[in-house]
């Protein structure tokens, strides 16, 4: 179990990484709208649309994980509840 200080640092690092991921996703979408190939924006190509949809799904999963990590950082009793809910051997 991490001490509260380390847990807080990990939560901040997680939020910072999520913010970077958000900027990267927005930059990718903007680039795909502005970059043209064969007279069309590359964002109109189906193969790239599939990749960007995958990026969006991973982005949303990262958001959920960040929310969960932040919630566990703010919840001082999470470890005690987790230990109580584990099956005894």
């Amino acid at each position: 179990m991490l001490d509260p200080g380390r847990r807080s640092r990990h939560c901040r690092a997680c939020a910072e990484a999520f913010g970077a991921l958000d900027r990267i996703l927005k930059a990718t979408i903007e680039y795909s709208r502005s970059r043209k190939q064969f007279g069309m924006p590359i964002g109109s190509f189906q193969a790239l649309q599939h990749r960007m949809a995958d990026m969006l799904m991973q982005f949303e999963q990262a958001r959920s994980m960040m929310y969960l990590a932040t919630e566990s950082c703010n919840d001082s009793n999470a470890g005690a509840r987790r230990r109580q809910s584990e099956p005894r051997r």
Side-chain angles (χ1 to χ4, degrees):
M1 192 67 161
L2 295 175
D3 64 82
R6 289 181 95 186
R7 199 169 46 191
S8 177
R9 286 191 299 274
H10 286 168
C11 286
R12 283 195 302 266
C14 182
E16 186 176 338
F18 178 76
L21 184 60
D22 183 36
R23 295 211 33 178
I24 290 168
L25 179 63
K26 287 177 181 176
T28 301
I29 292 170
E30 180 60 35
Y31 180 76
S32 71
R33 289 178 179 160
S34 63
R35 171 80 161 87
K36 295 197 184 293
Q37 186 71 35
F38 308 114
M40 302 169 56
I42 63 171
S44 66
F45 299 140
Q46 189 174 18
L48 294 180
Q49 289 176 351
H50 288 296
R51 288 185 180 183
M52 286 184 280
D54 289 341
M55 279 180 70
L56 181 61
M57 292 302 296
Q58 291 172 354
F59 175 78
E60 292 300 330
Q61 287 175 343
R63 180 193 314 266
S64 295
M65 287 187 285
M66 184 201 56
Y67 287 159
L68 180 64
T70 303
E71 183 63 31
S72 71
C73 286
N74 293 333
D75 188 358
S76 60
N77 295 324
R81 279 198 311 276
R82 190 176 308 115
R83 284 189 296 276
Q84 289 174 350
S85 67
E86 291 176 353
R88 299 193 186 234
R89 295 180 186 197

